[in-house]
Amino acid sequence: MAAVAISGCDIAIGGGAAGPADPAGGGNTRTLGPEGLGPFKVGMTLDQAEATGEWKRRKETAGACMSDTGSSGITVGWSVRFGISSLTADNVRTPEGIGIGSTFAEVKAAYHRPVDGTGTLEEEAQLIGTVWTAVPGNPKAMYAILFNIGGAMAPDHVEGATVRLVALKLKAEQRC
């Protein structure tokens, strides 16, 4: 699996090797959401995130979105404007049980509609290979669920798609 890099506002899949996921949800799986992941909370300041001792920010450019993976394996996305705006790791599952290896049918059963309430999860998955869903218990956040495809997918492939990445993100009306 490719290493995951997420910025404060976008998700990108990059190079590098990451360890295998635990699709069964056992072992060292951590819970992502509704407020955060481990010691990190979406919306916390950069100083608060750095004070955890598990992450050190790089020098950022004002207005820029950046991401980096800390010593705990958690990828933290941030911006000067929003602070910590996204979180993910290879071994996460949402409280509803969605993580790497989950099927589209499982995602649909857990999260019935896209975050904006228009269209369907199938339409989002077919269009961009990612669905954006509401986070139960946190109206200020959303999950970005990326499927194991290379962009858009044919309607007959949606049901067979599996999750490649789950990220917890702040809802933001504007770019970083």
Side-chain angles (χ1 to χ4, degrees):
M1 177 179 173
V4 177
I6 57 175
S7 72
C9 300
D10 296 313
I11 296 176
I13 303 299
D22 181 4
N28 61 358
T29 302
R30 298 182 269 194
T31 301
L32 177 64
E35 300 292 328
L37 176 58
F40 301 105
K41 307 296 180 221
V42 288
M44 75 186 329
T45 68
L46 300 179
D47 289 338
Q48 290 170 324
E50 201 164 30
T52 67
E54 294 188 26
W55 176 79
K56 183 167 177 59
R57 69 178 166 211
R58 300 180 309 217
K59 181 175 171 44
E60 66 271 344
T61 304
C65 297
M66 300 181 79
S67 69
D68 208 354
T69 303
S71 61
S72 62
I74 297 172
T75 301
V76 177
W78 78 93
S79 74
V80 173
R81 182 173 178 192
F82 294 113
I84 302 307
S85 55
S86 62
L87 297 164
T88 194
D90 284 337
N91 58 344
V92 297
R93 289 207 169 266
T94 69
E96 296 76 29
I98 302 302
I100 295 172
S102 294
T103 65
F104 180 81
E106 291 169 329
V107 170
K108 186 176 176 182
Y111 310 107
H112 309 287
R113 300 190 58 79
V115 72
D116 65 4
T118 62
T120 67
L121 295 177
E122 289 89 352
E123 290 168 342
E124 282 192 358
Q126 289 168 9
L127 182 64
I128 59 173
T130 303
V131 296
W132 305 86
T133 66
V135 174
N138 188 351
K140 295 181 180 180
M142 62 185 163
Y143 288 122
I145 303 171
L146 177 70
F147 289 90
N148 233 349
I149 56 163
M153 68 176 113
D156 59 338
H157 289 104
V158 172
E159 293 302 321
T162 57
V163 173
R164 181 177 182 182
L165 166 79
V166 180
L168 177 68
K169 296 178 57 73
L170 280 178
K171 290 181 185 175
E173 295 299 320
Q174 299 178 10
R175 307 277 303 162
C176 298

PDB file of all heavy atoms in Angstrom, residues 2 10 16 20 22 36 42 44 64 71 92 97 104-106 109 113 115 147 153 159 163 166:
ATOM      1  N   ALA A   2       0.503   2.248  -0.714  1.00  0.00           N
ATOM      2  CA  ALA A   2       1.269   3.481  -0.753  1.00  0.00           C
ATOM      3  C   ALA A   2       1.105   4.244   0.547  1.00  0.00           C
ATOM      4  O   ALA A   2       0.086   4.181   1.191  1.00  0.00           O
ATOM      5  CB  ALA A   2       0.779   4.350  -1.912  1.00  0.00           C
ATOM      6  N   ASP A  10      -6.682  18.702   1.456  1.00  0.00           N
ATOM      7  CA  ASP A  10      -6.779  17.706   0.396  1.00  0.00           C
ATOM      8  C   ASP A  10      -6.157  16.399   0.839  1.00  0.00           C
ATOM      9  O   ASP A  10      -5.348  16.366   1.745  1.00  0.00           O
ATOM     10  CB  ASP A  10      -6.022  18.176  -0.858  1.00  0.00           C
ATOM     11  CG  ASP A  10      -6.627  19.425  -1.451  1.00  0.00           C
ATOM     12  OD1 ASP A  10      -7.857  19.469  -1.595  1.00  0.00           O
ATOM     13  OD2 ASP A  10      -5.860  20.349  -1.749  1.00  0.00           O
ATOM     14  N   GLY A  16       6.355   5.580  -1.090  1.00  0.00           N
ATOM     15  CA  GLY A  16       6.826   5.078   0.185  1.00  0.00           C
ATOM     16  C   GLY A  16       6.057   3.844   0.589  1.00  0.00           C
ATOM     17  O   GLY A  16       4.979   3.577   0.104  1.00  0.00           O
ATOM     18  N   PRO A  20       1.252  -3.318   6.502  1.00  0.00           N
ATOM     19  CA  PRO A  20      -0.037  -3.860   6.119  1.00  0.00           C
ATOM     20  C   PRO A  20      -1.127  -3.453   7.094  1.00  0.00           C
ATOM     21  O   PRO A  20      -0.881  -3.287   8.278  1.00  0.00           O
ATOM     22  CB  PRO A  20       0.191  -5.373   6.156  1.00  0.00           C
ATOM     23  CG  PRO A  20       1.368  -5.560   7.045  1.00  0.00           C
ATOM     24  CD  PRO A  20       2.195  -4.324   6.919  1.00  0.00           C
ATOM     25  N   ASP A  22      -4.783  -3.976   9.096  1.00  0.00           N
ATOM     26  CA  ASP A  22      -5.431  -5.074   9.788  1.00  0.00           C
ATOM     27  C   ASP A  22      -6.918  -4.989   9.486  1.00  0.00           C
ATOM     28  O   ASP A  22      -7.676  -4.408  10.240  1.00  0.00           O
ATOM     29  CB  ASP A  22      -5.159  -4.963  11.288  1.00  0.00           C
ATOM     30  CG  ASP A  22      -5.786  -6.098  12.069  1.00  0.00           C
ATOM     31  OD1 ASP A  22      -6.365  -7.006  11.449  1.00  0.00           O
ATOM     32  OD2 ASP A  22      -5.696  -6.073  13.299  1.00  0.00           O
ATOM     33  N   GLY A  36     -11.062  12.896  17.130  1.00  0.00           N
ATOM     34  CA  GLY A  36      -9.655  12.841  16.776  1.00  0.00           C
ATOM     35  C   GLY A  36      -9.129  11.431  16.709  1.00  0.00           C
ATOM     36  O   GLY A  36      -9.879  10.467  16.523  1.00  0.00           O
ATOM     37  N   VAL A  42      -8.987  17.103  15.917  1.00  0.00           N
ATOM     38  CA  VAL A  42      -9.128  18.083  14.849  1.00  0.00           C
ATOM     39  C   VAL A  42      -9.525  19.410  15.485  1.00  0.00           C
ATOM     40  O   VAL A  42     -10.303  19.446  16.431  1.00  0.00           O
ATOM     41  CB  VAL A  42     -10.139  17.646  13.761  1.00  0.00           C
ATOM     42  CG1 VAL A  42      -9.582  16.525  12.912  1.00  0.00           C
ATOM     43  CG2 VAL A  42     -11.481  17.280  14.338  1.00  0.00           C
ATOM     44  N   MET A  44      -7.359  21.332  17.121  1.00  0.00           N
ATOM     45  CA  MET A  44      -6.382  21.763  18.121  1.00  0.00           C
ATOM     46  C   MET A  44      -5.318  22.633  17.451  1.00  0.00           C
ATOM     47  O   MET A  44      -5.106  22.543  16.241  1.00  0.00           O
ATOM     48  CB  MET A  44      -5.773  20.572  18.866  1.00  0.00           C
ATOM     49  CG  MET A  44      -4.763  19.755  18.101  1.00  0.00           C
ATOM     50  SD  MET A  44      -4.140  18.202  18.893  1.00  0.00           S
ATOM     51  CE  MET A  44      -4.164  18.461  20.610  1.00  0.00           C
ATOM     52  N   ALA A  64      -0.587  27.995   3.853  1.00  0.00           N
ATOM     53  CA  ALA A  64      -0.322  26.696   3.227  1.00  0.00           C
ATOM     54  C   ALA A  64      -0.958  25.566   4.031  1.00  0.00           C
ATOM     55  O   ALA A  64      -1.094  25.643   5.240  1.00  0.00           O
ATOM     56  CB  ALA A  64       1.182  26.464   3.122  1.00  0.00           C
ATOM     57  N   SER A  71       5.776  10.345  15.149  1.00  0.00           N
ATOM     58  CA  SER A  71       6.410   9.138  15.673  1.00  0.00           C
ATOM     59  C   SER A  71       5.406   8.033  15.970  1.00  0.00           C
ATOM     60  O   SER A  71       5.770   6.854  15.986  1.00  0.00           O
ATOM     61  CB  SER A  71       7.201   9.477  16.941  1.00  0.00           C
ATOM     62  OG  SER A  71       6.332   9.983  17.944  1.00  0.00           O
ATOM     63  N   VAL A  92      -6.422   2.360  11.374  1.00  0.00           N
ATOM     64  CA  VAL A  92      -7.567   2.987  12.027  1.00  0.00           C
ATOM     65  C   VAL A  92      -8.890   2.399  11.555  1.00  0.00           C
ATOM     66  O   VAL A  92      -8.993   1.880  10.446  1.00  0.00           O
ATOM     67  CB  VAL A  92      -7.604   4.519  11.807  1.00  0.00           C
ATOM     68  CG1 VAL A  92      -6.394   5.187  12.422  1.00  0.00           C
ATOM     69  CG2 VAL A  92      -7.733   4.877  10.341  1.00  0.00           C
ATOM     70  N   GLY A  97     -16.815   0.992  12.695  1.00  0.00           N
ATOM     71  CA  GLY A  97     -16.121  -0.181  12.185  1.00  0.00           C
ATOM     72  C   GLY A  97     -15.535  -0.070  10.793  1.00  0.00           C
ATOM     73  O   GLY A  97     -15.044  -1.052  10.242  1.00  0.00           O
ATOM     74  N   PHE A 104     -17.524  -1.358   0.125  1.00  0.00           N
ATOM     75  CA  PHE A 104     -18.433  -0.250  -0.121  1.00  0.00           C
ATOM     76  C   PHE A 104     -19.774  -0.507   0.565  1.00  0.00           C
ATOM     77  O   PHE A 104     -20.361   0.411   1.139  1.00  0.00           O
ATOM     78  CB  PHE A 104     -18.648  -0.027  -1.623  1.00  0.00           C
ATOM     79  CG  PHE A 104     -19.588   1.101  -1.897  1.00  0.00           C
ATOM     80  CD1 PHE A 104     -19.151   2.413  -1.853  1.00  0.00           C
ATOM     81  CD2 PHE A 104     -20.929   0.857  -2.154  1.00  0.00           C
ATOM     82  CE1 PHE A 104     -20.026   3.469  -2.073  1.00  0.00           C
ATOM     83  CE2 PHE A 104     -21.808   1.901  -2.372  1.00  0.00           C
ATOM     84  CZ  PHE A 104     -21.353   3.210  -2.338  1.00  0.00           C
ATOM     85  N   ALA A 105     -20.242  -1.743   0.541  1.00  0.00           N
ATOM     86  CA  ALA A 105     -21.522  -2.076   1.187  1.00  0.00           C
ATOM     87  C   ALA A 105     -21.464  -1.784   2.686  1.00  0.00           C
ATOM     88  O   ALA A 105     -22.434  -1.275   3.265  1.00  0.00           O
ATOM     89  CB  ALA A 105     -21.875  -3.537   0.935  1.00  0.00           C
ATOM     90  N   GLU A 106     -20.338  -2.065   3.324  1.00  0.00           N
ATOM     91  CA  GLU A 106     -20.189  -1.760   4.754  1.00  0.00           C
ATOM     92  C   GLU A 106     -20.180  -0.257   4.996  1.00  0.00           C
ATOM     93  O   GLU A 106     -20.777   0.230   5.969  1.00  0.00           O
ATOM     94  CB  GLU A 106     -18.909  -2.401   5.296  1.00  0.00           C
ATOM     95  CG  GLU A 106     -18.982  -3.913   5.350  1.00  0.00           C
ATOM     96  CD  GLU A 106     -17.656  -4.584   5.619  1.00  0.00           C
ATOM     97  OE1 GLU A 106     -16.581  -4.049   5.213  1.00  0.00           O
ATOM     98  OE2 GLU A 106     -17.685  -5.674   6.221  1.00  0.00           O
ATOM     99  N   ALA A 109     -23.739   0.976   4.662  1.00  0.00           N
ATOM    100  CA  ALA A 109     -24.556   0.612   5.819  1.00  0.00           C
ATOM    101  C   ALA A 109     -24.263   1.510   7.024  1.00  0.00           C
ATOM    102  O   ALA A 109     -25.157   1.847   7.792  1.00  0.00           O
ATOM    103  CB  ALA A 109     -24.320  -0.856   6.182  1.00  0.00           C
ATOM    104  N   ARG A 113     -25.534   8.621   3.622  1.00  0.00           N
ATOM    105  CA  ARG A 113     -25.552   9.713   2.651  1.00  0.00           C
ATOM    106  C   ARG A 113     -24.246  10.490   2.679  1.00  0.00           C
ATOM    107  O   ARG A 113     -23.559  10.518   3.697  1.00  0.00           O
ATOM    108  CB  ARG A 113     -26.700  10.668   2.953  1.00  0.00           C
ATOM    109  CG  ARG A 113     -28.077  10.001   2.900  1.00  0.00           C
ATOM    110  CD  ARG A 113     -29.209  10.996   2.963  1.00  0.00           C
ATOM    111  NE  ARG A 113     -29.193  11.998   1.923  1.00  0.00           N
ATOM    112  CZ  ARG A 113     -29.605  11.817   0.676  1.00  0.00           C
ATOM    113  NH1 ARG A 113     -30.037  10.662   0.294  1.00  0.00           N
ATOM    114  NH2 ARG A 113     -29.587  12.810  -0.181  1.00  0.00           N
ATOM    115  N   VAL A 115     -21.854  13.794   3.000  1.00  0.00           N
ATOM    116  CA  VAL A 115     -21.868  14.840   4.020  1.00  0.00           C
ATOM    117  C   VAL A 115     -22.777  16.006   3.662  1.00  0.00           C
ATOM    118  O   VAL A 115     -23.406  16.594   4.530  1.00  0.00           O
ATOM    119  CB  VAL A 115     -20.433  15.318   4.351  1.00  0.00           C
ATOM    120  CG1 VAL A 115     -19.848  16.145   3.232  1.00  0.00           C
ATOM    121  CG2 VAL A 115     -20.411  16.077   5.656  1.00  0.00           C
ATOM    122  N   PHE A 147     -11.505   4.811  -1.854  1.00  0.00           N
ATOM    123  CA  PHE A 147     -11.595   3.408  -2.235  1.00  0.00           C
ATOM    124  C   PHE A 147     -10.413   2.978  -3.082  1.00  0.00           C
ATOM    125  O   PHE A 147      -9.743   3.794  -3.705  1.00  0.00           O
ATOM    126  CB  PHE A 147     -12.921   3.136  -2.959  1.00  0.00           C
ATOM    127  CG  PHE A 147     -14.083   3.199  -2.022  1.00  0.00           C
ATOM    128  CD1 PHE A 147     -14.748   4.386  -1.807  1.00  0.00           C
ATOM    129  CD2 PHE A 147     -14.472   2.084  -1.298  1.00  0.00           C
ATOM    130  CE1 PHE A 147     -15.793   4.472  -0.900  1.00  0.00           C
ATOM    131  CE2 PHE A 147     -15.515   2.146  -0.394  1.00  0.00           C
ATOM    132  CZ  PHE A 147     -16.179   3.346  -0.196  1.00  0.00           C
ATOM    133  N   MET A 153     -14.968   5.170 -10.988  1.00  0.00           N
ATOM    134  CA  MET A 153     -15.189   3.752 -11.251  1.00  0.00           C
ATOM    135  C   MET A 153     -16.529   3.535 -11.928  1.00  0.00           C
ATOM    136  O   MET A 153     -17.450   4.326 -11.783  1.00  0.00           O
ATOM    137  CB  MET A 153     -15.088   2.931  -9.977  1.00  0.00           C
ATOM    138  CG  MET A 153     -16.180   3.148  -8.950  1.00  0.00           C
ATOM    139  SD  MET A 153     -15.973   2.025  -7.554  1.00  0.00           S
ATOM    140  CE  MET A 153     -15.575   3.190  -6.283  1.00  0.00           C
ATOM    141  N   GLU A 159     -19.871  -1.801  -5.781  1.00  0.00           N
ATOM    142  CA  GLU A 159     -20.131  -2.742  -4.687  1.00  0.00           C
ATOM    143  C   GLU A 159     -18.895  -3.559  -4.326  1.00  0.00           C
ATOM    144  O   GLU A 159     -18.739  -3.963  -3.185  1.00  0.00           O
ATOM    145  CB  GLU A 159     -21.307  -3.649  -5.018  1.00  0.00           C
ATOM    146  CG  GLU A 159     -22.641  -2.918  -5.088  1.00  0.00           C
ATOM    147  CD  GLU A 159     -23.025  -2.176  -3.809  1.00  0.00           C
ATOM    148  OE1 GLU A 159     -22.777  -2.695  -2.704  1.00  0.00           O
ATOM    149  OE2 GLU A 159     -23.572  -1.070  -3.916  1.00  0.00           O
ATOM    150  N   VAL A 163     -12.056  -0.148   0.927  1.00  0.00           N
ATOM    151  CA  VAL A 163     -11.499   1.095   1.465  1.00  0.00           C
ATOM    152  C   VAL A 163      -9.981   1.018   1.484  1.00  0.00           C
ATOM    153  O   VAL A 163      -9.384   0.029   1.921  1.00  0.00           O
ATOM    154  CB  VAL A 163     -12.052   1.365   2.878  1.00  0.00           C
ATOM    155  CG1 VAL A 163     -11.346   2.552   3.523  1.00  0.00           C
ATOM    156  CG2 VAL A 163     -13.552   1.600   2.817  1.00  0.00           C
ATOM    157  N   VAL A 166      -9.088   6.032   5.344  1.00  0.00           N
ATOM    158  CA  VAL A 166     -10.134   6.781   6.041  1.00  0.00           C
ATOM    159  C   VAL A 166      -9.443   7.935   6.751  1.00  0.00           C
ATOM    160  O   VAL A 166      -8.479   7.726   7.493  1.00  0.00           O
ATOM    161  CB  VAL A 166     -10.894   5.930   7.078  1.00  0.00           C
ATOM    162  CG1 VAL A 166     -11.964   6.758   7.773  1.00  0.00           C
ATOM    163  CG2 VAL A 166     -11.506   4.699   6.434  1.00  0.00           C
TER     164      VAL A 166
END
